Structure formats: C-alpha cells, structure tokens
Amino acid sequence: MCGIVGAVAERNITTILIEGLKRLEYRGYDSAGLAVFTQQGNLERRRRIGKVSELETAVAAEPLAGNLGIAHTRWATHGAPTEHNAHPHFSGHELAVVHNGIIENHEELREKLKGLGYSFSSETDTEVIVHLLDHTLKTLPDLADALKAAVKQLHGAYGLAVISAKQPDRLLAARSGSPLVIGLGHGENFLASDQLALRQVTDRFMYLEEGDIAEIRRDQVTIWDVAGTQVQRETVQYHEGAEAADKGAYRHFMLKEIHEQPTVVQRTLEGRLGKDHVMVQAFGPQAAELFAKVRNVQIVACGTSYHAGMVARYWLESLAGIPCQVEVASEFRYRKVVVQPDTLFVSISQSGETADTLAALRNAKELGFLGSLAICNVGISSLVRESDLTLLTQAGPEIGVASTKAFTTQLVSLMLLTLSLGQVRGTLAAGVEAELVEELRRLPTRLGEALAMDAIVEKTAELFADKHHTLFLGRGAQFPVAMEGALKLKEISYIHAEAYPAGELKHGPLALVDSDMPVVTVAPNNELLEKLKSNLQEVRARGGELIVFADEAAGMSNGEGTHVIAVPHIIDALAPILYTIPLQLLSYYVAVLKGTDVDQPRNLAKSVTVE
Ligand code: F6R
C-alpha cells in the first residue's frame, strides 16, 4: 500500500527520501516519486512507474538536491499505475502533495475546482487535495491555516504531506484514517507513514493521532488536534526492530521470517504463562471481569488473519465450550448482523490498519457487543487504539507481503485467549490448561524441529514446478491450515490453489483430480486420520499425486504417486501451528523455482488500508 516520506533539513535530503521509500517497499506499490525544493529555488519532481530503483536511476540521471522534500510509493486505487498518476501531485509549480488513503468526495471536489479554473493532469483522488489547498491559500496565505481549512472539506481517509515553494522552511502533514509518524532529528525533522522508513535517520518518534495537523520545521514541530488546539504528542524512543529491514543471510524476507518463528512465538508467550495457567491480565486490567461475562465470541479478520480466526473457532468450541462465529471483515461490515447477548468481538490483524477490519470494529461498537479485543502485531495501530482490550503478537515487523510469522503468533495468541476464556468461565476440562501451557512452552523447540524439514520440502517443491492447479485438503482444525497453505501458494507462486475440507472432495472437487493436479494434505495423528486416509484413496484412484505432511506416527508411507513427508509429533491442539511451517516452506520453494518476486508478489500490498 502507499508509503510517505518527508524531510526538512540543512543537508540534502534526496538520498534520505529514496532510502526511506526503499524501506517502505515491503508494503507493495506500483509507482514512486519525489518532489524537492531545490537549491535553485524551484519545486521539482521525478516520478517513475515500477520500483524505487527506477526512481533512483531517474534522480541519478537528472540530479535533484535540496533541504525540503516529500516522496511517495503509490499503490493504484483511482487511475492506472502511470507516471502522471504517480505522486507527488502539483498545483502550479509551487505546491506539492503526497497522500495515502482515499478521498471519497473527490468527484464533487474535482467539479468544483474545475469550475474555479483548475485543470487536472491525473485521474487520482489526490490531485483534488493539492488544488483545493492552492485555492484555500488565496484567502489563508499561511500553509498550516490553509491546510486546516482545506482538510475540513475532505471526506474519506488521508495521511498527507505538503510542501510549498513559497514557504520552503516547513513540511505540513495531516492525518485522518492513515497513520503518520514524525521522526525527530537534531536540527532536522522527518515524516513517514511508517517509522521503519526513518530508522536510518532517527530513533525518536512522535505519532500523529486522528485529526492531527503538524507543521514540521528543521528545529520545531507544532501539532494541532482535531479541534484545532495546539497539543504535545509524546516522544517515543524506538529500540527494537531496526534489523527488520535487513534480510541478513537469507535470500528473501519471507524465508527469514519463516525461520524467525521459534523466536517470535517464544516472545509472544513471554510474560503470559504462569506455572500451569495463562495469565489473563495479559489481555489488560479489565480482561478477567469482561471475560467472565462472555458467552459467545465473534471473530472478524481478513486473509491470513481470517484463517487464524477459523482455527480459533475449533479451539474455542472444543476446548473452552464457547460458541464462536468467524467472518471475513468485508462481509461482516456490510451485513445486518444479529448479535447474541454477551458476545465478545475479536478482531485479528497483523497491521492493525486493514480498512475492512477497522470498519467492522467501528460497526461492532454500534451493535451491542459486550466488548472488543484486538489481536494485533502493531501496538500503535488504529485497531489497538480503538479496541477495549488488546493482545499484541510479538512477531516484529513483517516485511514479506505474504504473512508467515504474523500468522503463527496470531494462532499462539488465540490459544492464549481460548485458555483464558475457559479458565475464567470454568469451562475447561480438568488438566487441559496445565497440559497446554506445558506444550506451549515446548512449542518454540517443536517449531525449530519443523524448520529442519526445510531441505526435504525444498526437494518436494520440484513436483509443482510445471503445475498450474493444486488442491489442499485438511480436516477439523487442519482445514483452515489447508486454506492458509493454498493462499500462500497462490499469492507467491501464482499457481491456482484451492482448499477443501477433505470430506467435501467427493461432493464436487474430485472431478478436477488427474495427474496434473497435485493434492497437498496435512495429516496429524488424530481421530480424523482414518477418515482422511480414505479421502486420500479417492484421490489416488483418480491418478492424483498426493503430497502428505503426516505425523511420524501416522503409519503413512511413500508409494507410487504418494509422497509422505514426516512431521514431528505434537499434541493435536497445537498441530495447526506446527503444520503451517512445512506449508509455508513449500510455497516459498515453489515460488523460488518459478522465479517470482517472493517478497513483493504482483498486485498485492502488505497493508490494505483502503477498502
Ligand atoms: C496474506 C496476507 C493477507 C493479510 C490480510 C489482512 O499472506 O498477508 O491476506 O493477512 O490482508 O491483513 P492484516 O492482518 O494486516 O489485517
């Protein structure tokens, strides 16, 4: 999704802007641009379709140097990914804007501005902002005053940065629905949509809140809140995660992040497990009181996070005896929902800024839920700020667009939720909590053992190199794991992959099975194993090639057209977490064989902050 970087300094800021954009590449984008107030006193820009490296080449060919600038990576929403739609957008030669988000009333504003004599050079919603600001400056010549007035006319979501050649000592910013952070330097200050973009220049940050407007000068930052009152925002020193933008010895961020899972799962458990129980207060001081009243759970999320929610439904119902519904946020938010009394609303999100999930939470507040809990990886996200309770996953920044470590830390967090609800409500069977707490402690080691399957999975990936379609099968809590496996494969290898509950096979999808359709299955040693084995026979009988990730003790062996890969044994309740690992590795190695852009797959964005 779009990214913003801005700087006002004594030194030349062009390389800082480009480096910042590179650090935001992981969010996904299709064009990039920057505008600099040059030493010659002009506002100049360079824009390119494609990677930031193309922009860098353009800047090297036609250098730009200056002390004030803004830059952007664009993920097309209004208008195709072309150079004239790329940001920054100009009004005349003196005003430049970059914008994340969507201006919903852009058509109406465009007509109005055309009527005032403005002509448009792009199809973007963003261009209305810069002309509107230019028009407002005619009556309110101070840039901050004009921006405060202009944003009142914008409906929708924005994080935006503005510079003017007439007031070249300042950078202006406004936030409503799209995050922005100010990076504080010594005699220089910066702006970005994500602090990661600025870790090269500072470790001190100030996060803008909803409705804030900021005027950023070299030696001073002034912030006004939504009511127009001048406010101070806390300065936060950032310690962790600086290394996250570095692949280290790994070829891709995705592989690095897959291998980080034992560590980040360990971190997610830290401070949350007592001797034989989960510490409910990890969910916040009011958690125990709220959880005691919970009779139902409604989970809402998107994509991979939704799959985590689907696994949690099996856990909540089978372990804690609590009825649970799970729904994708884009459906939930527009459906007339009937809320059962005493239902806890749980949102799951890596970024905490996913537009549909946030909108679902905001709707939920009007619907009479008992309270809201966010399971999220970003502590400063909107989802966290707007929920009653939070459990932060400790995955650290996830750079690969395809989610891996965020998913497994979400699953661990959801197991903590299951045990906490069961504990407080007294619905867990005797000994279950103590046993699972013990197993959770061993989980990082188990995940390490699963990662040792790397080489065998890499070899197995060769079976997919010339395939165009695959089926993923699972039963029980392994069905969502199969769904997640299929999502990963399609996202990064572009191979069409579908997941089915194995029992559904003969109700339709079996018609697709032939020797060109590999069928991937996850087979822990549980009460559904025998049923699963029968389903696999149905596949073999139609000439389908089977790739089975099976418990060491499942009694399955290689045969013609059947490739069994042994997975270390684990207690059934935690099997969804462990079996995720070989499926992630499989997608990764298939994508590498296919030569795709593993970390930034086509058409996808890391943080989906628009609907
Ligand atoms: C898939 C993936 C996406 C996200 C989805 C929700 O690999 O990453 O499906 O899971 O866009 O994002 P968050 O979790 O940030 O709300």
Side-chain angles (χ1 to χ4, degrees):
M1 202 107 308
C2 308
I4 288 176
V5 187
V8 51
E10 210 164 359
R11 54 178 162 158
N12 175 22
I13 45 73
T14 312
T15 48
I16 296 173
L17 296 180
I18 290 177
E19 173 61 23
L21 291 185
K22 283 186 182 166
R23 288 167 179 257
L24 294 178
E25 284 193 291
Y26 76 95
R27 293 165 65 98
Y29 66 102
D30 37 46
S31 59
L34 54 78
V36 172
F37 180 69
T38 66
Q39 283 149 353
Q40 293 71 37
N42 306 317
L43 200 53
E44 279 193 51
R45 71 181 156 185
R46 307 277 180 269
R47 298 180 292 175
R48 285 295 179 271
I49 306 169
K51 300 279 173 194
V52 175
S53 55
E54 318 253 352
L55 178 68
E56 194 174 18
T57 310
V59 171
E62 265 187 288
L64 276 180
N67 313 114
L68 173 73
I70 51 177
H72 192 260
T73 46
R74 172 173 187 257
W75 189 72
T77 54
H78 294 71
T82 57
E83 198 165 304
H84 69 270
N85 282 333
H87 301 208
H89 288 287
F90 277 17
S91 192
H93 298 289
E94 285 166 352
L95 197 60
V97 166
V98 291
H99 161 229
N100 288 357
I102 286 182
I103 304 303
E104 282 171 347
N105 59 338
H106 69 103
E107 281 173 355
E108 178 196 323
L109 288 171
R110 183 179 275 252
E111 286 318 305
K112 189 172 142 191
L113 289 159
K114 276 186 184 167
L116 290 166
Y118 286 95
S119 57
F120 283 75
S121 62
S122 78
E123 289 91 54
T124 63
D125 52 339
T126 302
E127 202 181 346
V128 301
I129 304 173
V130 71
H131 294 315
L132 178 66
L133 187 59
D134 184 72
H135 178 63
T136 314
L137 278 162
K138 291 180 180 149
T139 43
L140 289 168
D142 178 79
L143 198 53
D145 291 343
L147 185 61
K148 285 181 212 166
V151 295
K152 290 201 177 110
Q153 296 186 53
L154 304 178
H155 301 166
Y158 52 83
L160 50 95
V162 182
I163 54 174
S164 161
K166 283 195 179 150
Q167 297 171 51
D169 56 345
R170 70 198 75 169
L171 166 63
L172 267 291
R175 173 195 167 142
S176 180
S178 247
L180 282 178
V181 56
I182 297 171
L184 303 168
H186 298 285
E188 54 186 18
N189 287 311
F190 309 92
L191 177 77
S193 48
D194 182 329
Q195 64 189 15
L196 206 60
L198 302 178
R199 288 290 296 115
Q200 40 151 344
V201 280
T202 184
D203 59 358
R204 290 184 306 131
F205 297 99
M206 221 178 240
Y207 299 94
L208 292 189
E209 295 194 2
E210 281 298 279
D212 279 359
I213 305 251
E215 184 184 74
I216 305 156
R217 297 171 185 248
R218 278 207 302 110
D219 49 4
Q220 192 185 329
V221 171
T222 314
I223 301 175
W224 297 270
D225 69 8
V226 68
T229 311
Q230 197 174 324
V231 285
Q232 284 291 330
R233 297 285 175 226
E234 192 192 347
T235 302
V236 179
Q237 187 100 21
Y238 188 73
H239 295 293
E240 229 188 298
E243 76 290 354
D246 181 0
K247 286 198 276 271
Y250 291 97
R251 188 162 157 199
H252 295 101
F253 282 111
M254 182 179 178
L255 189 62
K256 175 180 177 241
E257 288 161 3
I258 289 174
H259 280 269
E260 278 171 2
Q261 289 175 110
T263 311
V264 296
V265 161
Q266 172 80 47
R267 264 189 222 152
T268 302
L269 291 169
E270 264 161 27
R272 291 166 175 174
L273 297 180
K275 189 168 158 291
D276 54 5
H277 64 279
V278 175
M279 294 200 276
V280 178
Q281 60 272 38
F283 291 84
Q286 328 89 305
E289 198 187 328
L290 189 71
F291 285 0
K293 298 183 198 143
V294 173
R295 282 200 282 148
N296 299 283
V297 171
Q298 170 72 61
I299 298 179
V300 170
C302 301
T304 289
S305 300
Y306 166 69
H307 296 154
M310 284 188 68
V311 172
R313 181 166 73 149
Y314 287 89
W315 288 340
L316 282 161
E317 298 206 342
S318 67
L319 296 170
I322 296 176
C324 175
Q325 309 256 8
V326 191
E327 192 163 354
V328 286
S330 54
E331 285 300 311
F332 180 90
R333 66 180 289 194
Y334 290 117
R335 198 165 65 76
K336 183 152 178 23
V337 177
V338 178
V339 181
Q340 298 284 345
D342 303 320
T343 302
L344 177 68
F345 181 88
V346 179
S347 58
I348 310 170
S349 173
Q350 187 283 126
S351 60
E353 301 292 348
T354 300
D356 284 322
T357 310
L358 261 175
L361 168 65
R362 287 170 185 161
N363 287 359
K365 290 191 172 168
E366 312 297 318
L367 293 175
F369 282 95
L370 186 64
S372 57
L373 163 69
I375 296 198
C376 188
N377 196 37
V378 182
I380 50 152
S381 63
S382 308
L383 200 70
V384 167
R385 276 202 307 272
E386 295 180 28
S387 296
D388 300 324
L389 303 176
T390 301
L391 190 74
L392 287 182
T393 51
Q394 299 291 343
E398 194 178 58
I399 310 292
V401 164
S403 193
T404 53
K405 60 178 182 168
F407 179 65
T408 42
T409 53
Q410 285 168 349
L411 288 178
V412 166
S413 305
L414 288 160
M415 178 52 90
L416 296 179
L417 175 65
T418 303
L419 295 175
S420 297
L421 282 170
Q423 179 199 118
V424 171
R425 296 195 36 77
T427 48
L428 294 169
V432 162
E433 187 171 16
E435 185 191 10
L436 275 167
V437 163
E438 198 49 42
E439 291 294 333
L440 282 169
R441 279 192 226 285
R442 290 197 200 118
L443 185 59
T445 312
R446 292 276 177 283
L447 297 180
E449 288 161 13
L451 286 166
M453 298 165 68
D454 192 291
I456 173 91
V457 178
E458 183 174 6
K459 183 91 193 108
T460 309
E462 290 168 14
L463 297 169
F464 295 78
D466 60 345
K467 298 292 188 289
H468 300 289
H469 307 276
T470 58
L471 277 181
F472 281 69
L473 302 178
R475 273 183 172 266
Q478 297 295 339
F479 166 50
V481 171
M483 290 176 80
E484 174 59 10
L487 178 66
K488 276 310 72 105
L489 189 71
K490 72 180 94 161
E491 272 183 301
I492 60 168
S493 75
Y494 316 146
I495 293 178
H496 172 222
E498 293 296 332
Y500 278 92
E504 275 292 290
L505 202 56
K506 53 176 137 352
H507 298 291
L510 199 54
L512 293 171
V513 171
D514 62 15
S515 56
D516 281 331
M517 169 77 97
V519 177
V520 181
T521 313
V522 272
N525 193 9
N526 60 19
E527 76 281 2
L528 294 171
L529 181 65
E530 290 311 315
K531 303 230 173 278
L532 184 68
K533 282 183 181 170
S534 318
N535 300 140
L536 301 188
Q537 287 312 318
E538 293 161 9
V539 172
R540 273 309 297 139
R542 274 89 190 164
E545 190 154 25
L546 283 171
I547 294 88
V548 190
F549 292 96
D551 189 289
E552 292 157 339
M556 301 187 75
S557 49
N558 282 326
E560 205 198 323
T562 305
H563 310 265
V564 178
I565 299 121
V567 181
H569 177 69
I570 187 150
I571 183 172
D572 195 41
L574 299 186
I577 308 177
L578 192 83
Y579 279 74
T580 294
I581 303 258
L583 297 189
Q584 291 170 343
L585 288 169
L586 183 66
S587 307
Y588 173 75
Y589 283 115
V590 174
V592 168
L593 279 176
K594 291 254 170 193
T596 59
D597 190 344
V598 172
D599 285 332
Q600 291 168 41
R602 67 185 182 200
N603 306 342
L604 297 180
K606 183 66 188 163
S607 182
V608 187
T609 51
V610 293
E611 196 175 342

Coordinates of all heavy atoms in Angstrom, one line a residue, residues 90-92 95 113 118-121 126-136:
F90 N 1.1 18.2 -8.1 CA 1.4 19.6 -8.0 C 0.1 20.4 -8.3 O -0.7 20.0 -9.1 CB 2.4 20.0 -9.1 CG 3.9 19.8 -8.7 CD1 4.2 18.9 -7.7 CD2 4.9 20.4 -9.4 CE1 5.5 18.7 -7.3 CE2 6.2 20.2 -9.0 CZ 6.5 19.3 -8.0
S91 N 0.1 21.6 -7.7 CA -0.8 22.7 -8.2 C 0.1 23.8 -8.7 O 0.8 24.3 -7.8 CB -1.8 23.1 -7.1 OG -2.8 23.9 -7.6
G92 N 0.1 24.1 -9.9 CA 1.0 25.0 -10.5 C 2.4 24.5 -10.3 O 2.6 23.3 -10.4
L95 N 3.2 24.1 -5.3 CA 2.6 23.4 -4.2 C 2.6 21.9 -4.6 O 2.2 21.5 -5.7 CB 1.2 23.9 -4.0 CG 0.5 23.5 -2.7 CD1 1.2 24.1 -1.5 CD2 -0.9 24.1 -2.8
L113 N -13.5 22.4 -8.4 CA -12.2 23.1 -8.7 C -12.1 23.4 -10.1 O -11.5 24.4 -10.5 CB -11.1 22.1 -8.2 CG -11.0 22.1 -6.6 CD1 -10.3 20.8 -6.2 CD2 -10.3 23.4 -6.1
Y118 N -9.2 25.3 -12.3 CA -8.1 24.4 -12.1 C -8.2 23.3 -13.2 O -9.3 22.8 -13.5 CB -8.1 23.7 -10.8 CG -7.7 24.7 -9.7 CD1 -8.6 25.4 -8.9 CD2 -6.3 24.8 -9.4 CE1 -8.2 26.3 -7.9 CE2 -5.9 25.7 -8.4 CZ -6.8 26.4 -7.7 OH -6.4 27.3 -6.7
S119 N -7.1 22.9 -13.8 CA -7.1 21.8 -14.7 C -6.3 20.6 -14.1 O -5.3 20.8 -13.3 CB -6.5 22.2 -16.1 OG -5.2 22.7 -15.9
F120 N -6.8 19.4 -14.4 CA -6.2 18.2 -13.7 C -5.3 17.4 -14.7 O -5.6 17.3 -15.9 CB -7.4 17.3 -13.3 CG -8.0 17.9 -12.0 CD1 -8.9 19.0 -12.1 CD2 -7.8 17.3 -10.8 CE1 -9.5 19.5 -10.9 CE2 -8.4 17.8 -9.6 CZ -9.2 18.9 -9.7
S121 N -4.2 16.9 -14.2 CA -3.3 16.2 -15.0 C -3.3 14.7 -14.7 O -2.5 14.0 -15.2 CB -1.9 16.8 -14.9 OG -1.5 16.7 -13.6
T126 N -6.2 12.2 -5.2 CA -5.2 13.0 -4.5 C -5.1 14.4 -5.1 O -4.9 15.4 -4.4 CB -3.8 12.4 -4.6 OG1 -3.9 11.1 -4.0 CG2 -2.8 13.2 -3.9
E127 N -5.2 14.5 -6.5 CA -5.0 15.8 -7.1 C -6.0 16.9 -6.6 O -5.7 18.1 -6.6 CB -5.0 15.7 -8.6 CG -4.2 16.8 -9.3 CD -4.2 16.7 -10.8 OE1 -4.6 15.7 -11.4 OE2 -3.9 17.8 -11.4
V128 N -7.2 16.5 -6.2 CA -8.1 17.5 -5.7 C -7.6 18.1 -4.4 O -7.8 19.3 -4.2 CB -9.5 16.9 -5.4 CG1 -10.2 16.3 -6.6 CG2 -9.6 16.0 -4.2
I129 N -6.8 17.4 -3.7 CA -6.3 18.0 -2.4 C -5.4 19.2 -2.7 O -5.5 20.2 -2.1 CB -5.5 16.9 -1.6 CG1 -6.4 15.7 -1.3 CG2 -5.0 17.5 -0.3 CD1 -5.6 14.5 -0.7
V130 N -4.5 19.0 -3.6 CA -3.5 20.0 -3.9 C -4.1 21.2 -4.5 O -3.7 22.4 -4.1 CB -2.3 19.4 -4.7 CG1 -2.6 19.1 -6.1 CG2 -1.1 20.3 -4.6
H131 N -5.1 21.1 -5.4 CA -5.7 22.2 -5.9 C -6.6 22.9 -4.9 O -6.7 24.2 -4.8 CB -6.6 21.9 -7.2 CG -5.7 21.4 -8.3 ND1 -4.6 22.0 -8.7 CD2 -5.8 20.3 -9.1 CE1 -4.0 21.4 -9.7 NE2 -4.8 20.3 -10.0
L132 N -7.3 22.1 -4.1 CA -8.1 22.7 -3.0 C -7.3 23.5 -2.1 O -7.6 24.6 -1.7 CB -8.8 21.5 -2.3 CG -9.7 21.9 -1.1 CD1 -10.9 22.7 -1.6 CD2 -10.2 20.7 -0.3
L133 N -6.1 23.0 -1.8 CA -5.2 23.7 -0.9 C -4.7 25.0 -1.5 O -4.7 26.1 -0.9 CB -4.0 22.8 -0.5 CG -3.1 23.3 0.5 CD1 -3.8 23.6 1.8 CD2 -1.9 22.3 0.7
D134 N -4.4 24.9 -2.8 CA -3.9 26.1 -3.5 C -5.0 27.2 -3.5 O -4.8 28.3 -3.2 CB -3.6 25.7 -5.0 CG -3.1 26.9 -5.7 OD1 -1.9 27.3 -5.5 OD2 -3.8 27.5 -6.6
H135 N -6.3 26.7 -3.7 CA -7.4 27.7 -3.7 C -7.5 28.3 -2.3 O -7.7 29.5 -2.2 CB -8.7 26.9 -4.1 CG -9.9 27.8 -4.1 ND1 -10.0 28.9 -4.9 CD2 -11.0 27.8 -3.4 CE1 -11.1 29.5 -4.7 NE2 -11.8 28.8 -3.7
T136 N -7.4 27.5 -1.3 CA -7.6 28.0 0.1 C -6.5 29.0 0.5 O -6.7 29.9 1.2 CB -7.6 26.8 1.1 OG1 -8.4 25.7 0.5 CG2 -8.1 27.2 2.4

